[in-house]
């Protein structure tokens, strides 16, 4: 029930968006993500856009280790 | 950190912790990803990954399947379902068998596909089998709302959606439970946000990581759980920040609240779990096929000797369950541990303790 | 008259007209022209004989149709036995009301594929059944060909330390058909094609091919599992070496299936001794149908009867026999 994939929004027609990933195009519903814009990357599940995919360049593991404040860091990179 | 670095760190932490660590993943998609990447083969001996009751399809009980099959066998119905449901066993049969015998059962990719089926067949009842966790429930809610707003009178839902936090509580309530940490279902959390899972650390002092499904993300989750265990700094961490936020998707949550009530639900092999299921509320009652068209299936779940809950809690191994390989097998499964292709018992059955050595 | 009627299958003048005016222009030849109950053929020595039935839905898909498959499927099966396909038969069952224009398109595809494969139709039969008794058109083709001298294809030739070569991209046909069925737009095309030119080059290059198989229904996963069991060896393939188009991978991710389980209708898998593998690979790549060939794995002594896949993490996990119909998952 978690099968989902990221895709780029190419076109929006009312509550339906045409999304594309690696040459494969699909129509998805925007009922759960009404503020979607063309050019957004969205996570798609069961024919619906679920959430916007935000990009991050930061090393997530590093950031989370820092977040666990109070514990010593065991990893030195 | 790249995959090799994470694997090295996991090794190092496991040695330092120097006792068995049992990490549960609570999502069918995690189960499949872990299998397909071969992660278990690469983990140190004292770190064990266990599949939790995380596949909403596998925890769907006989009673629901029998109802679905009974509706399917009527001449005036068309069943719309996700592909996963076809092989789930009822007490006597399955949807795929019913299909082979002529029932009109159609696989859909999106719940909204049911609308076209209803419109094209005005003299039949189009019934969507609404299964899933919090990830999928909003999509069925959207279907219900669409159907109601557009006045589609021959579209119905047979609901059995379930919620993850209550079943985690059930597992954790048992003092004997041997689960040391959780890989939390990334896509459930896209909808719910991280908040509903904070109790895992706050009430039960178990580390948990909201994790994505790529190799790097899963390894990262395992690494962070081990690190938290080592330091004693127990929390619920969000390691899937590019799609998961603290509060989740408010639109989706509101839609579910508008359409559904939370009710007690029966989980295959586990019995009733309080407030763990969804049912169409009064405003959407006319879309509930059970209220519109009564069928004669006994509602009480049968008492079973299935010991899935104890297998999941790590209290016993599959071999110790009295049903394992005698009454319960992948062809005739009793509990979710065997229904799921990569569930604890199914995997044990297929591969033994140490599967294969290439 | 623009649709097939029951009279067309009744054996009388309508049947004769169907044969003469519709079928013969596409499949006609001297042997078929005899219009006798059976064909009399000259075949010397050992022959290979195979049959297959074609019921695919949708009947037309990017890259081909049921007609293409009806020829390439049977021709390829003959090639996989180490024989040179020569004659085919065709048994066609049509549904009353089937559009003649559609039949002509299918016959055209059959004719094209037969020409490419170098085979002719020696005999055939057409029946028409009442509406609803068959889904449009079902085709059975059987084929014979002479076993090529010196070539011995059999799973019993498969031993440990052999290399496994795939002739090109995996899953194109299966993915194309699934995309069409689920209304998903892609530029994918079926790879349906007779492999005659490729196989000829391979047989000319070496007599030491242990076994050949075309991974149709059930895909690469089914074929490797069958051979591992039949030959009692283990097989390990490397995920990094599998040629898979990004569209096939994306579609598989979307719908929740594995490219290794998807059908291929214009590909073959060859097992050959390590010492000859590179040479065979080069020969395959010199043919249009094998230009994307890759060595994807090898046979091993351990884990007999099992197939393992080396993942991106370097672990080896099992590749199981695919179970049942491929349907989209959400889980």
């Amino acid at each position: 029930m978690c099968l989902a994939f990221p895709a780029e929004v190419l076109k929006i027609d009312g509550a339906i968006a045409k999304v594309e990933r690696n040459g494969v195009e699909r129509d998805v519903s925007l009922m759960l993500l009404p503020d979607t814009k063309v050019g957004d990357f969205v996570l798609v599940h069961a024919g619906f856009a679920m959430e916007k995919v935000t990009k991050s360049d930061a090393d997530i593991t590093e950031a989370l280790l820092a977040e666990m404040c109070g514990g010593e860091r065991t990893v030195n990179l | 950190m790249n995959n090799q670095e994470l694997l090295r760190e996991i090794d190092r932490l496991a040695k330092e912790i120097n006792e068995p660590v049992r990490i549960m993943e609570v999502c069918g998609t995690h189960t499949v990803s872990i299998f397909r990447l071969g992660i278990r083969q690469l983990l140190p001996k004292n770190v064990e990954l266990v599949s939790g009751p995380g596949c909403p399809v596998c925890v769907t009980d006989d009673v629901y399947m029998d109802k679905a099959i009974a509706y399917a066998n009527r001449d005036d119905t068309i069943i719309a379902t996700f592909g996963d449901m076809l092989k789930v066993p009822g007490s006597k049969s399955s949807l795929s068998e019913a299909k082979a015998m002529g029932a009109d059962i159609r696989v859909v990719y999106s719940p909204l596909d049911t609308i076209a089926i209803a419109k094209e067949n005005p003299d039949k009842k189009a019934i969507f089998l609404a299964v899933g966790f919090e990830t999928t429930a909003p999509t069925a809610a959207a279907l219900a709302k669409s159907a109601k707003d557009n006045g589609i009178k021959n579209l119905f839902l047979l609901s059995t959606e379930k919620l993850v936090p209550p079943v985690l509580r059930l597992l954790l309530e048992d003092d004997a439970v041997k689960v040391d940490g959780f890989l939390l279902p990334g896509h459930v959390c896209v909808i719910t946000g991280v908040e509903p899972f904070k109790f895992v650390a706050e009430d039960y002092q178990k580390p948990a990581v909201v994790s994505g499904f790529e190799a790097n993300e899963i390894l990262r989750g395992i690494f962070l759980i081990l690190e938290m265990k080592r330091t004693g700094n127990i929390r619920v961490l969000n390691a899937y920040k590019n799609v998961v936020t603290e509060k989740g998707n408010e639109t989706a949550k509101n839609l579910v609240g508008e359409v559904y009530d939370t009710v007690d639900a029966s989980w295959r092999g586990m019995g009733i779990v309080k407030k763990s299921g969804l049912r169409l509320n009064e405003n959407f009652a006319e879309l509930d096929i059970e209220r519109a068209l009564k069928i004669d299936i006994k509602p009480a779940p049968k008492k079973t000797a299935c010991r899935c809950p104890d297998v999941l809690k790590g209290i016993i191994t599959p071999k110790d369950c009295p049903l394992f390989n005698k009454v319960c097998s992948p062809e005739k499964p009793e509990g979710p541990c065997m229904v799921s292709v990569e569930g604890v018992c199914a995997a044990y059955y297929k591969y033994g303790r140490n599967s294969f050595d290439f | 008259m623009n649709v097939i009627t029951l009279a067309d299958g009744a054996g009388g003048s309508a049947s004769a007209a169907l044969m003469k005016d519709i079928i013969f222009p596409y499949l006609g030849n001297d042997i078929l022209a005899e219009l006798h109950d059976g064909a009399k053929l000259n075949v010397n020595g050992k022959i290979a004989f195979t049959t297959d039935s074609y019921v695919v839905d949708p009947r037309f898909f990017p890259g081909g149709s049921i007609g293409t498959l009806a020829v390439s499927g049977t021709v390829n099966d003959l090639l996989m036995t180490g024989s040179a396909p020569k004659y085919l038969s065709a048994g066609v069952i049509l549904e009353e009301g089937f559009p003649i224009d559609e039949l002509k398109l299918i016959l055209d595809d059959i004719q094209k594929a037969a020409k490419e494969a170098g085979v002719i139709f020696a005999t055939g039969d057409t029946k028409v059944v009442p509406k609803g008794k068959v889904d449009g058109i079902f085709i059975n083709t059987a084929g014979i060909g002479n076993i090529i001298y010196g070539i011995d294809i059999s799973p019993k030739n498969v031993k440990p330390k052999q290399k496994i070569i795939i002739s090109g991209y995996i899953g194109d046909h299966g993915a194309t058909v699934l995309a069409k069925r689920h209304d998903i737009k892609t530029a994918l095309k079926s790879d349906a094609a007779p492999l005659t030119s490729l196989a000829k080059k391979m047989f000319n290059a070496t007599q030491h091919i242990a076994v050949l198989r075309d991974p149709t229904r059930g895909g690469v996963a089914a074929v490797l599992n069958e051979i591992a069991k039949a030959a009692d060896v283990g097989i390990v393939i490397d995920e990094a070496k599998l040629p898979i188009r990004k569209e096939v991978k994306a579609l598989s991710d979307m719908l929740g299936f594995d490219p290794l389980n998807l059908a291929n209708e214009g590909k073959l898998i060859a097992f050959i001794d390590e010492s000859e593998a590179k040479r065979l690979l080069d020969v395959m790549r010199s043919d249009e149908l094998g230009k994307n060939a890759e060595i994807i794995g090898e046979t091993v002594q351990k884990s007999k009867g099992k197939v393992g896949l080396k993942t991106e993490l370097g672990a080896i996990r099992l590749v199981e026999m695919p179970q049942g119909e491929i349907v989209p998952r959400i889980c």
Side-chain angles (χ1 to χ4, degrees), chain B residues 15 53 98 106-107 112-113 127 134 185 190 210 239 259:
Chain B
K15 273 199 183 72
R106 307 192 193 179
V107 172
L112 293 179
D113 296 343
I127 306 171
E134 289 93 332
V190 165
V210 177
V259 171

Side-chain angles (χ1 to χ4, degrees), chain A residues 1-3 5 22 24-25, chain C residues 184-185 247 254 256 330-331:
Chain A
M1 96 298 172
C2 288
L3 201 67
F5 61 91
N22 280 339
V24 183
E25 282 178 26
Chain C
I184 298 177
K185 185 157 156 236
E247 292 91 343
M254 275 185 201
I330 52 147
C331 216

Side-chain angles (χ1 to χ4, degrees), chain B residues 123-169:
Chain B
D123 54 332
K124 303 245 167 124
K125 294 177 175 52
I127 306 171
F128 175 67
L129 301 185
V131 184
F133 284 156
E134 289 93 332
T135 330
T136 321
T139 68
L143 170 69
K145 189 145 161 65
S146 273
K148 193 171 153 95
D149 288 351
N150 291 305
I152 302 174
K153 297 283 177 221
N154 63 327
L155 191 148
F156 300 88
L157 282 80
L158 184 64
S159 256
T160 186
E161 294 103 322
K162 300 205 167 46
L163 307 174
V164 177
V167 82
L168 289 188
R169 257 189 208 280

Side-chain angles (χ1 to χ4, degrees), chain C residues 130-151:
Chain C
K131 201 152 189 53
K133 295 290 185 191
V134 100
D135 185 13
I137 180 172
F138 289 167
I139 305 176
N140 169 280
T141 53
I144 57 175
N146 286 98
I147 306 273
I148 296 167
Y149 180 74
I151 302 286

Side-chain angles (χ1 to χ4, degrees), chain A residues 1-3 5 26 32 43 45-48 50-54 59 61 64 67-69 72 74-75 77, chain B residues 1 9 27 29 56 109-110 133 135-136 139 142 187-188 220 223 227 230 233 238-239 241-243 249:
Chain A
M1 96 298 172
C2 288
L3 201 67
F5 61 91
R26 253 225 108 121
L32 303 179
L43 188 72
H45 169 74
F48 283 77
M50 310 291 275
E51 187 56 86
K52 202 164 138 171
V53 180
T54 56
D59 185 324
T61 317
L64 287 165
E67 194 180 307
M68 288 156 57
C69 57
E72 327 138 24
T74 59
V75 180
L77 292 171
Chain B
M1 286 167 86
E9 288 301 308
C27 172
T29 315
Y109 170 70
S110 161
F133 284 156
T135 330
T136 321
T139 68
H187 293 151
V188 166
R220 178 189 305 150
F223 161 70
E227 172 69 355
R230 185 194 75 88
N233 187 349
N238 178 4
K241 289 195 166 136
N242 56 352
V243 283
N249 181 329

Side-chain angles (χ1 to χ4, degrees), chain C residues 39 53 64 72 76-77 89 91 95 107 110 144 146 155 158 162 166 206-207 209 217 223 226 229 259 285 294 296 314:
Chain C
S53 297
S72 62
N76 290 343
D77 278 346
S89 71
E95 186 183 15
L107 289 168
I110 293 177
I144 57 175
N146 286 98
V158 173
Q162 287 173 340
I166 180 94
T206 173
Q207 296 199 330
I209 297 170
R217 227 169 13 154
V223 161
E226 282 165 8
K229 278 225 153 53
R285 284 179 171 166
E294 290 288 344
I296 60 170

Side-chain angles (χ1 to χ4, degrees), chain B residues 319-335:
Chain B
K319 270 195 321 217
D320 304 325
C321 172
L323 304 181
F324 179 78
N325 205 15
K326 299 191 181 71
V327 170
C328 184
S329 68
E331 291 79 40
K332 279 206 116 296
E334 279 286 311

Side-chain angles (χ1 to χ4, degrees), chain C residues 25-224:
Chain C
Y26 292 96
L27 306 189
N29 55 68
D30 292 339
I31 299 177
L32 206 56
E34 274 205 30
L35 287 175
H36 192 61
D37 280 343
K40 288 175 283 195
L41 309 168
N42 260 329
V43 281
N44 295 317
K46 214 161 171 210
I47 61 166
F49 181 30
T50 187
T51 184
D52 228 324
S53 297
Y54 301 91
V55 300
V56 69
D57 172 49
R59 284 191 284 281
F60 295 91
F61 40 83
S65 71
I66 188 173
T68 327
L69 294 178
V71 172
S72 62
T74 300
V75 162
N76 290 343
D77 278 346
L78 286 172
L79 291 169
M80 297 304 108
T81 61
S83 69
K86 211 154 168 208
Y87 300 112
L88 293 189
S89 71
V92 177
I93 303 179
L94 287 159
E95 186 183 15
E96 180 188 13
F98 194 81
I100 301 247
D101 283 341
E102 231 186 279
L103 179 60
K104 284 182 174 173
L105 287 171
I106 293 171
L107 289 168
D108 190 49
D109 280 343
I110 293 177
Q111 182 188 42
K112 283 202 188 77
K115 188 144 180 251
E116 213 178 307
V119 296
I120 61 172
F121 282 87
T123 185
D125 175 72
T126 314
K127 293 282 183 304
V128 181
V129 293
K131 201 152 189 53
K133 295 290 185 191
V134 100
D135 185 13
I137 180 172
F138 289 167
I139 305 176
N140 169 280
T141 53
I144 57 175
N146 286 98
I147 306 273
I148 296 167
Y149 180 74
I151 302 286
D152 172 36
I153 304 277
S154 166
K156 63 174 162 44
N157 297 331
V158 173
K159 307 264 179 293
K161 292 234 183 96
Q162 287 173 340
K163 293 289 187 192
I164 303 169
I165 308 178
I166 180 94
S167 61
Y169 286 107
I170 294 174
D172 285 0
H173 176 80
T176 302
V177 168
L178 281 162
K180 186 140 202 272
R181 246 188 238 147
H182 295 286
D183 247 330
I184 298 177
K185 185 157 156 236
T186 75
L188 286 172
K189 285 194 321 191
S190 167
D191 61 347
L195 293 166
T196 313
S197 66
L198 175 62
K200 263 203 177 118
K201 286 196 175 80
M202 291 168 70
F203 293 148
N204 279 336
T206 173
Q207 296 199 330
H208 297 135
I209 297 170
V211 84
L212 281 181
R213 287 289 297 278
D214 60 339
T216 53
R217 227 169 13 154
V220 171
V223 161
L224 293 182

